[in-house]
Structure formats: structure tokens, C-alpha cells
Amino acid sequence: MPHGRHASDREWMRPILRLRRVTWLVPTAYLLVYRPWQRSWGATGTEVTDTLPGDEIVPRPQWEATRAVVVDARPDDVWPWLVQMGAHPRAGWYSYDWVDNAGIRSADEIRADLQGLRVGDRLPMTADASAAFVVESIDPTRSLVMSNHAVGGAVSAAFVLRPHGPRGCRLIHRIRFRVPASGLPWAVAMDAGDFVMTRRMLLGIRQRAERLGRRRRGGTEPTDDDPGTPLSYDLSVPIDLPPGRVHALLADVQDLEPFPRAAGVTMTKWPAGPTGVGTRWHERVRLAPGIWMRVESTVTAVSPPVSLDMDFWAGWCEGHLTYTIEPTPSGCRLHQRETLALRRRLPIPASWVDAGLRPRLLDRLADLRDDAQSRPV
């Protein structure tokens, strides 16, 4: 065979060899890095190894995960959201509603008709009620345990609340399951996808509980004066500070970090010095584990202590933001008016983007208020 033929064969085989290497690396990275990390996301070593309520339901699980979040609210602020969980017509799972709630948005308010949860009640996993968790035990403000038994297997899910700090708590979620050989494909899918839904659920519960906690402590929530218009926002919040101090903080908003409820935001300003027309902010926003969005903003107008305007743009959107500060007898009211336009190449509806973005903007406005009021004069 001619020497050139051998060389041609080697060239033809190189893409296949590279593909084999990648095919080997992906499952290895999943098993050795991603899988251990996601199975204990947010949880401490003690929480992972502790025996929790409901562990006895699946004593020798094939798969187990323990995840946790810190909630800036008391356990009794979190508990009402837990007992009303379940797919429509219940309050939802506070996760990706288009997956587990037929696209119906999970409740943002406490539903009095769902607060009387009892052992034995069924909590639908999806809106068609084809499968459901059954409540196994209830220890108010401490733990809620549910299970599902189907086709010879068993799944247990426990929500545990533990005090944390002067007014907060930790919300711990543990899931365990054992399935027969016929259920292994489902188990593999569970291993790969459960974290995505659970993480969103825990963050959704935290967001709602912290709002409830602020209301119970007498804090005033930011208001949404234009809730029905996607990608157009007219939000405001009272702040117990004079307008000049609030404007000065907005002019150097990068110093207000970190934002605990709108976590995953980092900002830098350029150039240093007083903020004026042309000042720019470089912002990184965490959308999901390992996924970040970069936002660039440029100041277009500054009128201390009344207003601050800027244009902003990212890979998928662009828009305009205006802060205005209205004096009040107790301080001022900060208004945030924002319009957003999606780039044409973004293949999702504006209503979906709005559903995820609006609560984050409200949380961030609350964070800004809390940070400003906590600073020494």
C-alpha cells in the first residue's frame, strides 16, 4: 500500500480519536466532579452526614442528595410555604413551573386554604396528578417528610429547618430513593436532572420566605406599579435616609455589594472618581451554576440628589434605567424605572424572561434599601 494512503488514513482517524477522548472525559468529569458537588450543594459536612427525619423510609438508598440554603428569615416564615407545596391546584413547587406545574406560576402569597396539611395528604408531583408524594410526618417549623412508592421502589423527601444566626435559619432538603432494575433509566434521569429543579425550588422558597419575614418585621416591601407589562418595570421602595445620601450611594453602587437576596452580582466602575456622564459599570450576574451574564452600563445623565440615568446592554438584551428620588417626611422613596428590549436571536418568549427577572429586580431593590439603611452615618 502506498505511503500516502497510510498518511491519509491517519488524518481521517484523528477526528474520531478526539471524539473518543471527549466522550471519555465528559462522564468522568460528571462522576468525579459535578455529581459529588451537586449532591451536597450548599450543605455542610455535618448536614450531609446527620440522620434526618424520613431517612428510615429508604434505609439503604441507591441515591441520596442533601442540599441546603441559608434563609434570612425565621423558621415560622418558611414553614407556610412548605405546607402548601404541590402541583396545581396546590401552590406549586417554586421551581421551573413549565416543567412541574403545567406552566402555572407558583404562588407568591400564603394560601390560607392550604395551611391545614395532615399526614396522609397527597401532594401532586405534576399538574396532571399522575404521581404524588404522600405526607409521612409533620413537625411544625422543624420538618416535613413525604414519600412516593411506585413500581416496587421508594423515594423519600425531607425538608428540615434549623435556626441560624439571630433571625435566620437553614433550609435543608434531603432526597433518597431505591428502585428495582426496571426503574434504573428513571434513576439515571433523576441523578442528572434533580439538582436543577431542587436548586430552583430552594431558592424560590428562600425568596418568598424572606419577603414574608420582612413584612412581619415591619419592613416595607418594594412595590411593582406596572406588573402586567413584560420587560417594562416601574418599581419603588421607601428608604429612611435623606435623598442626598441615597443618590450618593447609587452613584457608587458597586460599594453596596454583596447583595444577599440577589446573590451572584459583582460590579466594577470605570473610571474611578465622581460619577458623571460617561461613567461605566461592568457587571457580572450569576444566572445558574457556571453560567454568568456580563452587563455593561453607561451613565447618560446625573442630577444630584434627584436622578441618575443610564443605558445598558448585554449579549441578549439592551435597555434604559432611570433612578429618581422623591423626598418624604421620613426620608425618601427610590423609584426604579427600566425598559428592556430582547435581541432577536434570543429564542424564548419575553414573558418567560420577565417572570425570572422581575422578582430578582424587586429583591435587588430591597437589598439596596437594606444595605443603605445599615450603613453608619
Side-chain angles (χ1 to χ4, degrees), residues 35-324:
R35 191 172 189 263
W37 169 78
Q38 60 98 345
R39 289 179 64 188
S40 60
W41 176 79
T44 66
T46 300
E47 290 165 347
V48 171
T49 58
D50 273 356
T51 298
L52 297 183
D55 283 357
E56 71 282 357
I57 298 171
V58 186
R60 294 181 300 279
Q62 295 163 323
W63 191 87
E64 177 183 74
T66 304
R67 289 109 176 199
V69 291
V70 174
V71 184
D72 185 22
R74 300 187 303 266
D76 60 345
D77 295 322
V78 181
W79 186 254
W81 304 102
L82 298 182
V83 299
Q84 67 183 28
M85 288 188 301
H88 184 76
R90 295 184 63 82
W93 291 104
Y94 317 119
S95 187
Y96 293 100
D97 295 317
W98 55 274
V99 175
D100 58 14
N101 208 36
I104 301 167
R105 183 172 176 79
S106 292
D108 286 318
E109 296 294 335
I110 300 299
R111 287 181 49 181
D113 61 313
L114 297 176
Q115 293 303 300
L117 191 67
R118 296 175 297 180
V119 171
D121 284 354
R122 290 171 55 84
L123 309 182
M125 294 182 185
T126 57
D128 63 8
S130 58
F133 282 110
V134 175
V135 178
E136 295 281 354
S137 69
I138 301 174
D139 187 0
T141 73
R142 292 182 176 87
S143 68
L144 172 64
V145 178
M146 59 191 75
S147 71
N148 175 266
H149 298 262
V151 295
V155 180
S156 67
F159 295 83
V160 177
L161 292 166
R162 291 177 173 173
H164 179 78
R167 67 178 190 187
C169 66
R170 288 185 66 80
L171 171 59
I172 306 165
H173 177 260
R174 174 172 292 172
I175 187 163
R176 294 155 64 97
F177 71 74
R178 172 167 285 278
V179 297
S182 60
L184 287 179
W186 177 85
V188 172
M190 184 82 165
D191 184 73
D194 171 71
F195 170 65
V196 176
M197 300 298 292
T198 298
R199 174 186 173 275
R200 176 78 171 197
M201 175 184 66
L202 293 175
L203 296 179
I205 294 170
R206 179 175 73 180
Q207 181 185 74
R208 290 163 170 84
E210 289 181 342
R211 287 176 184 161
L212 177 62
R214 288 198 298 273
R215 286 199 294 266
R216 288 180 172 178
R217 291 194 299 267
T220 303
E221 284 292 289
T223 60
D224 186 350
D225 298 321
D226 190 19
T229 307
L231 306 184
S232 177
Y233 306 96
D234 187 356
L235 317 175
S236 64
V237 66
I239 303 180
D240 296 332
L241 290 172
R245 286 194 61 198
V246 174
H247 192 280
L249 290 171
L250 291 173
D252 285 295
V253 70
Q254 74 281 351
D255 294 332
L256 290 172
E257 298 174 313
F259 294 114
R261 279 179 291 276
V265 177
T266 59
M267 299 182 70
T268 57
K269 171 184 165 183
W270 184 87
T275 294
V277 174
T279 296
R280 301 182 67 178
W281 274 283
H282 309 278
E283 183 174 357
R284 290 180 76 241
V285 181
R286 184 177 184 270
L287 301 178
I291 302 176
W292 292 80
M293 175 181 70
R294 187 175 182 86
V295 182
E296 302 286 341
S297 304
T298 300
V299 174
T300 57
V302 185
S303 298
V306 177
S307 64
L308 178 67
D309 290 64
M310 62 190 72
D311 291 330
F312 62 89
W313 59 95
W316 57 275
C317 69
E318 58 189 12
H320 184 79
L321 168 64
T322 298
Y323 288 116
T324 56

